[in-house]
């Protein structure tokens, strides 16, 4: 098949991503589950290749029965070694397993006639090993290869190089140069490049020169959340503001952080912020949902927290509990360190869909969107006083809170609606 010719319809499409939760794992569908749904809904034959080790839960997983009937696509799991830490040699070994074993299984399955040769393969970056295998397979199987960039990789590892920042800039290329060359070779081999943010696409723009490109944010399903209350202009006058403030005074401000509890997150800053909010007598709750290496420290801090601000650590929540928590919250906390190079994380999209005022630490694309839509406040990562100040402002000014919540929902409608983005 010449790549200059139009592809036949319907297509045989493979999605290669080991990280996202697969159907049956209990949280709202993420990027590749959503994409597989859309492609299958258009009549394509879709297979999602993932790993048998859950990146989020750090546990073995199996494919539930009936996925093809319920979702319209198939999931095939690749055996990999387990890992407990997101930054570890064990994780790199697991990625190596994924690339090698996926390539072998895919080659054998097509050669034996068990699987149809794919017309199109979509692979996520990271990891490197999956799309490297796809690049080789696409050449042998005469398939189109679309690379989907999900992170600034491997530059995000630069923050882990020891020493002061000026020294890191000098020595990081020696540690990461090989990975960057591999990344550029993958991009050069791809027929087209998509990305979850403009920043991610820009990180590979040199190697992607001349290729078709597309930016599709992670997004969220807005219909999973009710719209937040909206204030009319009349309700926003001074007299009404006073009445709303009095009505809200008995209700604590409910803030939620949902996501990984790892070093790249700024979640520990919430401990100091909770103490300062209590010292100021501000009635608030900070709920932390997720799992990771920081969970025990956060639970210990929550147990010792006293005063008007409660710190609640939930651990990993299933889909129903997660949706219920966001539905009862007022504020969504994007507690992420800027040096992680994350642009617009899943949590920001979910908060906006749920109509939560967004308190954000990330500069760049997300900060610009929050500012443009007037959907929340910014704080300085690592600064507990800054975080406490942003939360305290929303706790004291319920009119401002209601405005930010309504605007956050508008942000979701305009920028993050998967029903519009993923088709």
């Amino acid at each position: 098949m010449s790549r200059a010719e139009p592809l036949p319809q319907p297509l045989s499409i493979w999605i290669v991503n080991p990280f996202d939760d697969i159907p049956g794992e209990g949280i709202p569908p993420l990027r590749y589950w959503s994409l597989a749904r859309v492609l299958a809904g258009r009549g394509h034959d879709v297979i999602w290749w993932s790993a048998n080790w859950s990146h989020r839960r750090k546990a073995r997983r199996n494919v539930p029965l009936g996925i093809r009937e319920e979702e319209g696509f198939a999931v095939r799991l690749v055996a990999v070694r387990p890992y407990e830490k997101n930054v570890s040699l064990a994780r790199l070994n697991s990625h190596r397993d994924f690339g090698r074993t996926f390539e072998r299984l895919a080659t054998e399955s097509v050669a034996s006639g068990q699987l149809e040769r794919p017309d199109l393969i979509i692979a996520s970056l990271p990891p490197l090993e999956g799309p490297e295998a796809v690049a080789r397979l696409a050449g042998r199987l005469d398939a189109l290869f679309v690379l989907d960039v999900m992170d600034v990789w491997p530059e995000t590892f630069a923050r882990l190089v020891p020493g002061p920042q000026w020294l890191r800039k000098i020595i990081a290329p020696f540690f990461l140069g090989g990975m960057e060359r591999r990344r550029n070779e993958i991009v050069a081999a791809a027929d087209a490049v998509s990305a979850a943010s403009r920043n991610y696409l820009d990180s590979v723009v040199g190697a992607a020169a001349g290729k078709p490109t597309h930016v599709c944010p992670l997004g969220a399903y807005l219909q999973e959340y009710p719209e937040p209350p909206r204030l009319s202009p009349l309700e926003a006058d001074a007299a009404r503001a006073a009445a709303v403030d009095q009505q809200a005074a008995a209700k604590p401000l409910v803030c939620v952080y949902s996501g990984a509890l790892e070093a790249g997150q700024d979640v520990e800053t919430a401990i100091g912020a909770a103490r300062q909010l209590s010292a100021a007598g501000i009635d608030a709750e900070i709920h932390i949902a997720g799992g990771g290496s920081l969970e025990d420290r956060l639970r210990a801090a929550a147990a010792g927290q006293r005063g008007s601000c409660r710190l609640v650590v939930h651990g990993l929540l299933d889909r129903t509990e997660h949706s219920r928590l966001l539905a009862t919250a007022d504020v969504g906390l994007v507690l992420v360190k800027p040096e992680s190079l994350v642009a617009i994380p899943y949590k920001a999209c979910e908060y906006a869909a749920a109509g939560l005022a967004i308190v954000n630490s990330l500069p760049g694309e997300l900060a610009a969107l929050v500012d443009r839509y007037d959907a929340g406040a910014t704080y300085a990562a690592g600064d507990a006083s800054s975080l406490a100040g942003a939360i305290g402002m929303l706790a004291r000014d319920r009119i401002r809170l209601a405005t930010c919540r309504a605007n956050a929902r508008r942000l979701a409608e305009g920028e993050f609606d998967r029903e519009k983005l993923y088709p």
Side-chain angles (χ1 to χ4, degrees):
M1 178 183 65
S2 169
R3 294 186 179 183
E5 298 175 359
L7 292 175
Q9 299 290 333
L11 302 175
S12 173
I13 300 176
W14 290 358
I15 296 174
V16 180
N17 168 268
F19 297 135
D20 274 15
D21 286 340
I22 63 174
E25 291 194 316
I27 70 168
L30 301 178
R31 186 175 186 83
Y32 298 101
W33 185 349
S34 301
L35 180 60
R37 273 182 173 176
V38 170
L39 292 170
R42 292 187 170 188
H44 302 301
D45 181 22
V46 180
I47 298 175
W48 176 6
W49 295 82
S50 187
N52 72 339
W53 181 255
S54 168
H55 175 72
R56 179 178 68 93
R57 296 183 297 112
K58 301 296 186 291
R60 290 290 180 196
R61 61 185 177 189
N62 298 299
V63 178
L65 296 176
I67 284 184
R68 172 72 81 172
E69 291 74 20
E70 293 179 9
E71 296 286 345
F73 59 85
V75 175
R76 293 175 72 94
L77 296 184
V78 176
V80 298
R81 278 171 282 187
Y83 58 92
E84 295 297 333
K85 296 181 178 180
N86 287 350
V87 180
S88 64
L89 182 60
R91 179 179 177 181
L92 295 178
N93 288 333
S94 187
H95 293 344
R96 192 174 298 114
D97 291 344
F98 180 76
R100 289 173 177 172
T101 307
F102 157 68
E103 185 173 3
R104 177 178 59 79
L105 290 175
T107 301
E108 292 173 353
S109 297
V110 172
S112 67
Q114 181 185 3
L115 291 180
E116 182 182 353
R117 179 194 65 79
D119 300 300
L120 174 66
I121 310 177
I122 305 160
S124 72
L125 175 73
L128 292 168
E129 291 78 5
E132 281 178 330
V134 168
R136 292 188 291 268
L137 281 169
R140 294 200 299 269
L141 301 177
D142 192 24
L144 287 168
F145 169 26
V146 176
L147 181 70
D148 189 39
V149 183
M150 288 286 288
D151 207 343
V152 179
W153 194 274
E155 290 85 348
T156 186
F157 285 121
R159 62 190 168 85
L160 304 175
V161 176
Q165 186 172 1
W166 65 267
L167 183 59
R168 281 187 228 159
K169 291 181 179 179
I170 297 173
I171 64 176
F174 293 97
F175 288 95
L176 306 178
M179 295 176 71
E180 187 172 351
R181 283 191 295 273
R182 291 168 63 195
R183 189 271 314 276
N184 290 340
E185 290 171 358
I186 292 168
V187 178
D191 295 292
V193 179
S194 58
S197 80
R198 173 56 57 181
N199 184 48
Y200 295 166
L201 185 59
D202 288 346
S203 72
V204 300
V205 70
K211 299 179 185 293
T213 60
H214 179 69
V215 174
C216 175
L218 299 174
Y221 286 118
L222 274 61
Q223 64 269 31
E224 293 195 353
Y225 303 100
E227 287 194 45
R230 300 180 186 240
L231 295 179
S232 70
L234 290 176
E235 290 174 322
D237 64 27
R240 182 60 176 161
V244 172
D245 282 343
Q246 285 180 352
Q247 184 180 12
K251 178 183 179 297
L253 183 78
V254 179
C255 307
V256 60
Y257 167 85
S258 176
L261 307 181
E262 299 291 350
Q265 312 302 309
D266 194 41
V267 67
E268 287 182 286
T269 301
I271 299 172
R275 292 169 180 161
Q276 293 192 26
L277 289 165
S278 285
I282 293 174
D283 194 8
E285 298 175 359
I286 298 177
H287 293 258
I288 297 174
S293 59
L294 299 177
E295 184 174 349
D296 289 343
R297 170 166 164 70
L298 290 164
R299 287 191 180 279
Q305 176 66 21
R306 299 290 183 268
S308 60
C309 180
R310 294 177 60 220
L311 187 61
V312 184
V313 180
H314 296 271
L316 289 172
L317 298 178
D318 64 25
R319 181 173 181 176
T320 301
E321 293 169 331
H322 177 267
S323 296
R324 186 182 298 121
L325 178 60
L326 264 61
T328 58
D330 304 299
V331 176
L333 303 175
V334 180
L335 308 178
V336 184
K337 295 177 180 177
E339 57 265 32
S340 68
L341 302 182
V342 171
I344 304 175
Y346 278 114
K347 60 179 68 67
C349 302
E350 293 289 335
Y351 297 159
L356 306 186
I358 298 173
V359 172
N360 166 53
S361 64
L362 290 172
E365 290 175 84
L366 181 56
L369 286 171
V370 172
D371 183 63
R372 186 197 316 163
Y373 282 85
D374 191 23
T378 299
Y379 84 96
D383 187 337
S385 297
S386 179
L387 178 56
I391 294 172
M393 177 272 292
L394 293 170
R396 288 187 293 264
D397 188 346
R398 298 302 172 114
I399 290 296
R400 174 70 182 153
L401 173 66
T403 299
C404 289
R405 293 193 63 184
N407 289 342
R409 178 70 179 204
R410 287 199 307 110
L411 165 59
E413 293 166 353
E415 310 289 340
F416 299 150
D417 187 351
R418 272 198 207 142
E419 294 288 353
K420 299 176 183 176
L421 294 172
Y422 279 60

